[in-house]
Amino acid sequence: MAVSISAVVLLGLLVFIFVKKAGLNVAHAIVCVLFGFFLAGSSAAPSIGDGVQNVIQLIGRISF
């Protein structure tokens, strides 16, 4: 669950930067948040979570 919290913080920071610097409209950001909220309650949420977890594990296995 720590990965999920970190992803939420990172994505929240990106949305904030996009609103302030890249011209993302606040209304667009609200729509994105609502989309994510409703997507999290759908039947696709476990598959999306598993996919994100697999990508994070793959990145963790890459040695620099």
Side-chain angles (χ1 to χ4, degrees), residues 5-41:
I5 293 171
S6 299
V8 168
V9 170
L10 176 65
L11 292 173
L13 182 64
L14 285 174
V15 168
F16 178 76
I17 290 170
F18 288 157
V19 168
K20 289 294 185 185
K21 301 289 182 188
L24 180 68
N25 192 346
V26 175
H28 297 147
I30 290 171
V31 169
C32 291
V33 169
L34 289 174
F35 176 70
F37 177 77
F38 287 115
L39 185 62

Side-chain angles (χ1 to χ4, degrees), residues 33-56:
V33 169
L34 289 174
F35 176 70
F37 177 77
F38 287 115
L39 185 62
S42 73
S43 61
S47 298
I48 294 170
D50 291 342
V52 169
Q53 196 71 355
N54 289 335
V55 168
I56 290 171

